[in-house]
Amino acid sequence: MTTQLRLEKVTPANVLDACRLKVAPEQERFVSPVARSLAEAYADPGTAWPRLIFDGERLVGFVMAFFDVRFDPADPEDRPRSGLWRLAVAAGEQGRGYGRFAVGAVCEEIRRRGGSRVTVTWGEGEHGPEEFYLRLGFRKTGEMSEDEVVGERDLPRG
């Protein structure tokens, strides 16, 4: 990992490169393609926050956050949540701190918007992201969102 890490908006100039980004084959069942994420972001721009992860001039990943979403709108006790919707680090680029950087950037954006907790969901199984999220301080809540585990982490005060 270099010190030139940054998040960039998806633009007409980089959208095709974004759509070509692929995770390792054994991880494909855990991460939707970037094109699907961008379609969801287009359909719900007030909720989705899609960003590309660059190391210098090299595209190394994709992250998309969500803000103020109720997982179960029919439940009056269900509070709005903000967190990670998608995270994909390109095959061959993992283990270099890009995912950790992206999670940190999402946490900063949530804190900037007044949030104090970050939520993430993940699919369980071999080659899945559970250990990654647990190492970053997320804890399982005991909830499920469809077929995914829900994890949360409190954000330290600014």
Side-chain angles (χ1 to χ4, degrees):
M1 179 171 80
T2 72
T3 58
Q4 299 179 10
L5 291 180
R6 68 185 188 287
L7 296 185
E8 294 284 334
K9 290 182 178 181
V10 180
T11 67
N14 64 28
V15 67
L16 291 179
D17 289 334
C19 289
R20 290 184 190 113
L21 189 134
K22 302 281 185 219
V23 297
E26 64 272 13
Q27 296 171 332
E28 288 176 352
R29 72 183 182 105
F30 298 104
V31 183
S32 294
V34 173
R36 176 181 172 177
S37 296
L38 293 176
E40 289 171 332
Y42 177 82
D44 196 356
T47 299
W49 190 75
R51 296 294 186 268
L52 301 178
I53 308 164
F54 279 90
D55 185 349
E57 297 306 310
R58 197 169 83 251
L59 173 61
V60 297
F62 172 81
V63 65
M64 187 162 73
F66 63 90
F67 302 105
D68 299 323
V69 172
R70 291 182 185 273
F71 282 19
D72 185 0
D75 179 359
E77 300 296 316
D78 189 32
R79 62 183 159 67
R81 305 173 200 226
S82 298
L84 285 145
W85 191 346
R86 299 274 160 64
L87 176 60
V89 175
E93 299 288 356
Q94 295 181 5
R96 298 180 181 161
Y98 301 134
R100 179 180 295 273
F101 166 78
V103 171
V106 167
C107 289
E108 286 301 315
E109 183 64 19
I110 291 169
R111 189 178 6 251
R112 187 185 73 74
R113 293 174 182 233
S116 61
R117 182 178 295 142
V118 61
T119 301
V120 65
T121 64
W122 64 80
E124 294 180 292
E126 187 177 8
H127 304 292
E130 182 170 332
E131 289 305 313
F132 169 75
Y133 289 121
L134 294 177
R135 278 193 315 270
L136 291 180
F138 287 90
R139 66 190 178 290
K140 295 179 180 182
T141 66
E143 300 169 274
M144 298 292 287
S145 177
E146 297 180 5
D147 61 345
E148 293 190 335
V149 172
V150 177
E152 290 187 332
R153 181 177 116 184
D154 291 329
L155 296 175
R157 296 180 193 258

